[in-house]
């Protein structure tokens, strides 16, 4: 069983430059068919080549999930990976963000993470972007085949979801144009709990379709903080939200500044003592003010591993993909639950919208008239924008700036989105005070 | 340390949990990705030490599935190379390695394992695991068995006995003791003359006061009894609502939400009932773990209180004035302290009866124990050897009143694992690893199916394993896909943390992780 010892000189390499035998485990499932394979799976070198030579994936976040994701993707055969993160490394990251060392504290996560993965995993290119997701143009995201989110904020997820959904185009019958689907894989953790999900805009529910999955944060009524504090958190939030502004009005509070944190702690402490309330500690103060989410290595690794597997399945079809949401809880035994959530048919982000056919020569003004006529109960004074967010005609302060578009041909306005020329179909977004949410209209100019 | 390396996890298992983790000595058998990822997470968490046992040198294949190895390690001792990379993760953790076959150590030097708190056995054949299980069981060492093959991962804990003192310290348990209010609480409640209060003061009365005053009123009209059925509860709620002045009093809303707490005392959790049953079968003596003395204190308290647990002492936030809240909190804390004192007395009596020191346990420890006692749990895992002696299943069932329950699905995976082991013994390689991997897999399918049928036949079991399952097993070639190993290893490290901190509930059965279905199944 024991093979001969190999030394560096005798290592044999394949056409890709990979050491022969390196991907043995992956090859078993890529070169052979099986009952778990996904639809259209074709075992063999071509599939492996798609994974290793073609696929270009983006990881959002180089934190707890991000570090695990980069490792898992690199060892699942992905060779072109980009990563975005705007944060720098903090001591409290080191219990789970295993790519970082104490001497990295203060440095950008994305850059260090990329370096470490490339040092360890030969042949992978990880390109770091030390910036916010919002700093990139929407079109920049088009180059990636799969976008994997290891984020800790709802806002960032929502933003990415909106960008991915804006790429989506529909056929005349309302089915999504397959070539415009930008797949997202999303992971999230909190303590022992986590979720992994696959979002194929237009096919599976998008982030916005299932907004209700994310409960609102706990906040305390200001009158409780000011008048009847009862628990430690009330005193801390009083110092943080009310006292700081009153006593240090010209300074912006910075949770990462130790002096600021100490000030909050001491004032919260004094207030607690005055009211006879127990439990204000620095630990608790930081937890409340920074809204710290407890985090352990294992949950991150579980969720990231499943996300990376979904990416591997999506890229190769070597196994059926997740449909479409998995939740995990490790506090009482090991519990997972996979649910196929349903799309919101009226989702303002990913639904095909209402079909409308108008003559080829229609102007924006004609389109508005037609919309008001068609939706007379709910639309009176509509604002119109494209699905990418370009304002075509707005009411209120932007009215003057957009008024010139009214007599222009709709096909030209749609074409401008795509670098000029005419475009005879497209999704437009209608907003009106009388509407509950934005209305999507799938326009075709024939 | 606030904001320190372990801050985010101490917020989950507390300083006391972290301390236990920092005392843990871990031994890993076989340095494939499943094992390495498990230990990686534990090293990050801050265990005391790890020792790696592996007989192999680093092969090209390791570079495609193990992050703890890189190209320059090829040809080196695998245990040594992995140990070096693991140590980079946390300077506080001591690491060592041994270049030996783990299977040889199990057979030739079982005492080796006595030094460890935890033994992690990965990718090992069943018969060695059974031998190792009996070694660890004797010393009550935590053993965890993991195996990943293709898209599947299996995990099984093997521990003789485990007690949990803290099933979920993250959640505050508020048992308000409203079914049997004690004199100090009653005094406080009777100080409020609701009719005399102005609007603002009225809205600042704690819901506990509203509820207990309503109870007095109800009792006066109902033969000194509390509402017992749903009809009476509805009437009680109606009466409570009638006491309102407007409809926006939040304290009344809180009172209405808590009505069930005055009607029915909180029943004991099923896990605590199991612990108490276990206590009844024990004879407390010199060698009995201290946990059981604490439980005996709780048991004696329950007998005296008519089934009421010692008061936890914490109260939830509620709409009321600061003064009311602070006073109420003090009343609850004092009652909890006096309950704990009673429990402490019983614990001391039990210690003396067993010929042990009265002060073997501190008042503080008893106090903490009382806080979490309502969720105490006791677990035991059957010996691994019983897993494979399927034929004795009926006998086991009849002797232990169904304690070891054995549905078909575990059996399926177990037969699969045993069949793969037998395949290895017979052909010197795992199924699906023929030189011509594609064409050879057809042959291997037939061979593995034959072996599986033989195993089933040996145990007089009818039927076959599903062809799909055998087919997928052959396809995976017993290989460790990194992401599958990473998920399984993470679950493994999580279970180990629950076991060493004695917090949260570990997995009691065999766990099967299927990354195609995105499920974990326990059976
Ligand atoms: Zn949607």
């Amino acid at each position: 069983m024991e093979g001969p010892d190999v030394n560096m000189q005798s290592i044999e390499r394949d056409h890709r430059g990979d050491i022969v035998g390196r991907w043995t485990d992956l090859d078993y499932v890529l070169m052979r068919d099986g009952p778990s394979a996904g639809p259209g799976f074709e075992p063999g070198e071509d599939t492996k080549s798609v994974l290793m030579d073609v696929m270009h994936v983006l990881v959002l976040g180089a934190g707890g999930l991000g570090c695990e994701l980069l490792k898992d993707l690199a060892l699942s055969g992905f060779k072109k990976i980009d990563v975005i993160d705007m944060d720098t490394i903090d001591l409290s990251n080191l219990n789970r963000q295993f790519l970082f060392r104490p001497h990295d504290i203060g440095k950008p996560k994305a850059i260090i993470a990329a370096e470490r993965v490339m040092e360890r995993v030969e042949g992978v290119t990880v390109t770091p972007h030390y910036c916010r997701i919002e700093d990139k143009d929407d079109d920049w995201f088009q180059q990636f085949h799969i976008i994997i989110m290891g984020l800790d904020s709802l806002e960032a997820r929502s933003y990415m979801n909106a960008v991915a959904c804006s790429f989506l185009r529909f056929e005349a019958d309302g089915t999504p144009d397959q070539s415009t689907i930008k797949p997202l894989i999303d992971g999230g953790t909190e303590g022992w709990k986590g979720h992994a999900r696959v979002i194929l805009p237009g096919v599976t529910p998008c982030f916005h379709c299932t907004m209700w999955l994310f409960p609102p944060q706990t906040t305390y009524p200001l009158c409780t903080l000011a008048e009847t504090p009862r628990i430690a958190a009330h005193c801390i939030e009083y110092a943080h939200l009310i006292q700081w502004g009153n006593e240090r009005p010209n300074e912006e509070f910075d949770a990462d500044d130790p002096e600021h944190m100490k000030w909050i702690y001491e004032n919260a402490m004094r207030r607690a003592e005055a009211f006879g309330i127990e439990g204000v500690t620095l630990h608790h103060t930081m937890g409340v003010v920074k809204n710290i989410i407890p985090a352990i290595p294992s949950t991150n690794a579980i969720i990231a591993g499943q996300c990376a597997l979904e990416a591997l399945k999506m890229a190769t079809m070597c196994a059926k993909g997740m449909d479409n949401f998995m939740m995990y809880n490790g506090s009482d035994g090991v519990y997972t639950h996979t649910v196929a959530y349903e799309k919101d048919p009226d989702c303002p982000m990913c639904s095909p919208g209402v079909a409308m056919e108008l003559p080829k020569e229609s102007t924006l003004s004609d389109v508005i008239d037609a919309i008001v006529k068609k939706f007379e109960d709910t639309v009176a004074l509509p604002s119109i924008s494209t699905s990418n967010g370009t304002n075509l005609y707005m009411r209120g302060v932007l009215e003057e700036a957009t008024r010139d578009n009214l007599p222009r041909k709709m096909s030209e306005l749609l074409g401008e989105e795509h670098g000029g020329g005419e475009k005879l179909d497209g999704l437009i977004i209608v907003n009106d005070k009388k509407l509950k949410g934005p209305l999507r209209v799938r326009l075709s100019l024939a | 340390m606030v904001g320190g390396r372990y801050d985010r996890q101490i917020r989950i298992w507390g300083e006391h949990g972290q301390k236990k983790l920092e005392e843990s000595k871990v031994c890993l058998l076989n340095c494939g990705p499943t094992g390495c990822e498990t230990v990686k997470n534990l090293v990050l968490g801050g265990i005391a030490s790890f020792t790696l046992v592996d007989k192999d040198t680093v092969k090209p294949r390791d570079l495609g599935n193990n992050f703890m190895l890189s190209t320059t390690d090829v040809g080196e001792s695998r245990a040594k190379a992995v140990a070096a990379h693991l140590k980079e993760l946390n300077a506080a953790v001591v690491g060592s390695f041994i270049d030996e076959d783990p299977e040889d150590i199990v057979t030739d030097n079982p005492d080796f394992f006595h030094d460890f708190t935890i033994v992690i056995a990965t990718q090992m054949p069943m018969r060695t695991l059974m031998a190792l299980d009996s070694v660890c069981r004797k010393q009550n060492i935590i053993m965890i068995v993991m195996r990943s093959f293709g898209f599947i991962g299996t995990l099984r804990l093997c521990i003789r006995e485990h007690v949990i003192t803290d099933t979920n310290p993250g959640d505050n348990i508020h048992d308000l003791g409203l079914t049997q209010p004690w004199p100090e609480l009653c005094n406080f409640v009777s100080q409020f003359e609701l009719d005399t209060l102005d609007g603002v003061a009225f809205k600042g009365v704690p819901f506990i006061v509203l509820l207990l005053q309503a109870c007095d009123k109800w009792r006066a009209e109902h033969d000194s009894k509390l509402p017992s059925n749903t009809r009476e509860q509805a009437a009680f709620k109606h009466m409570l609502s009638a006491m309102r002045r407007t409809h926006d009093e939040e304290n009344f809303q809180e009172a209405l939400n808590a009505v069930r707490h005055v009607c029915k005392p909180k029943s004991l959790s099923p896990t605590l009932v199991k612990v108490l049953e276990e206590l009844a079968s024990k004879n407390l003596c010199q060698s009995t773990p201290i946990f059981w003395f604490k439980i005996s204190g709780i048991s004696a308290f329950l007998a005296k209180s008519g089934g009421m647990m010692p008061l936890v002492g914490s109260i939830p936030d509620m709409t009321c004035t600061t003064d009311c809240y602070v006073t109420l909190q003090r009343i609850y804390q004092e009652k909890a302290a006096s309950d704990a004192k009673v429990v402490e007395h019983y614990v001391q009596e039990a210690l003396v009866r067993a010929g042990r020191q009265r002060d073997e346990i501190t008042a503080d420890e008893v106090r903490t124990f009382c806080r979490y006692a309502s969720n105490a749990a006791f677990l035991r895992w059957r010996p691994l050897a019983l897993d494979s002696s399927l034929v004795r299943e009926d006998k086991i069932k009849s002797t232990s009143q169904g304690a070891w329950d054995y549905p078909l699905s575990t059996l399926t995976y177990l037969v699969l694992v045993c069949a793969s082991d037998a395949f290895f013994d017979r052909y010197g390689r795992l199924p699906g690893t023929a030189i011509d991997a594609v064409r050879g897999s057809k042959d291997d399918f037939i061979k593995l199916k034959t072996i599986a049928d033989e195993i089933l036949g040996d145990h007089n079991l009818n039927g076959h394993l599903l062809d799909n399952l055998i087919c997928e097993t052959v396809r995976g070639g017993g290989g460790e896909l990194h992401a599958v190993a990473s998920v399984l290893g993470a679950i493994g490290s999580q279970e180990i943390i629950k076991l060493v901190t004695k917090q949260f509930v570990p997995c009691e059965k065999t766990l099967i992780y299927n990354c195609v279905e995105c499920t974990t199944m326990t059976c």
Side-chain angles (χ1 to χ4, degrees), chain B residues 73-97:
Chain B
D73 298 319
V74 172
E76 291 271 353
S77 138
R78 188 158 80 157
K80 181 183 172 190
V82 168
H85 291 307
L86 282 173
K87 273 199 260 187
E88 290 168 18
L89 299 177
N90 190 345
V93 179
V94 177
S96 59
F97 65 92

Side-chain angles (χ1 to χ4, degrees), chain B residues 227-243:
Chain B
S228 57
N229 52 39
T230 37
R231 196 177 44 80
E232 286 183 354
Q233 262 187 47
F236 181 84
K237 279 189 182 172
H238 190 75
M239 190 186 88
L240 193 62
S241 295
M243 290 158 66

Side-chain angles (χ1 to χ4, degrees), chain A residues 123-360:
Chain A
V124 67
T125 306
V126 184
T127 310
H129 304 271
Y130 173 40
C131 63
R132 292 155 51 87
I133 303 166
E134 294 85 344
D135 294 342
K136 298 287 183 190
D137 294 336
D138 288 3
D139 276 346
W140 183 79
F141 293 97
Q142 279 285 24
Q143 61 183 305
F144 302 104
H145 298 99
I146 306 170
I147 297 172
I148 304 134
M149 304 194 277
L151 299 165
D152 56 7
S153 93
L154 291 189
E155 291 75 25
R157 280 197 185 92
S158 257
Y159 179 84
M160 193 60 239
N161 183 68
V163 173
C165 288
S166 76
F167 296 150
L168 184 61
R169 296 287 173 272
F170 295 90
E171 308 287 356
D173 65 355
T175 54
D177 171 351
Q178 294 290 325
S179 67
T180 63
I181 295 174
K182 183 65 64 191
L184 300 177
I185 299 172
D186 177 44
T189 69
E190 178 173 351
W192 303 100
K193 293 187 203 133
H195 77 264
R197 71 188 293 186
V198 172
I199 297 176
L200 301 169
V203 182
T204 65
C206 81
F207 187 70
H208 202 277
C209 289
T210 54
M211 236 2 180
W212 50 269
L213 282 167
F214 300 90
Q217 282 178 20
T218 47
T219 51
Y220 306 107
L222 284 180
C223 61
T224 299
L225 303 186
E227 287 156 29
T228 55
R230 295 176 296 269
I231 56 175
H234 293 156
C235 301
I236 296 164
E237 283 294 57
Y238 179 82
H240 172 216
L241 299 174
I242 298 172
Q243 215 174 345
W244 179 276
N246 289 343
E247 296 180 24
R248 301 176 71 165
N250 301 319
E251 281 174 274
E252 188 155 345
F253 175 72
D254 176 7
D256 292 322
D257 185 329
E259 188 273 324
H260 291 194
M261 195 54 87
K262 191 162 162 269
W263 190 92
I264 299 290
Y265 164 61
E266 283 167 357
N267 282 285
M269 194 73 191
R270 268 196 285 280
R271 187 168 172 80
E273 272 166 17
F275 282 97
I277 296 167
E278 290 168 14
V280 175
T281 61
L282 184 56
H283 183 75
H284 192 33
T285 305
M286 283 174 73
V288 171
V289 173
K290 295 176 99 170
N291 189 25
I292 290 178
I293 297 164
I296 44 179
S298 52
T299 317
N300 280 317
I302 292 163
I303 296 302
Q306 189 64 50
C307 288
L309 283 162
E310 292 311 315
L312 175 65
K313 294 186 210 174
M314 210 181 265
T316 65
M317 283 294 156
C318 67
K320 293 177 204 93
M322 175 196 295
D323 185 21
N324 46 47
F325 191 103
M326 174 185 118
M327 58 192 88
Y328 177 83
N329 189 343
S331 68
D332 188 355
V334 174
Y335 173 83
T336 52
H337 183 54
T338 307
V339 210
Y341 281 124
E342 293 196 1
K343 274 187 304 177
D344 174 357
D346 300 320
C347 177
M349 292 293 163
C350 70
S351 62
V354 185
M356 237 174 114
E357 234 174 90
L358 288 172
K360 200 175 160 189

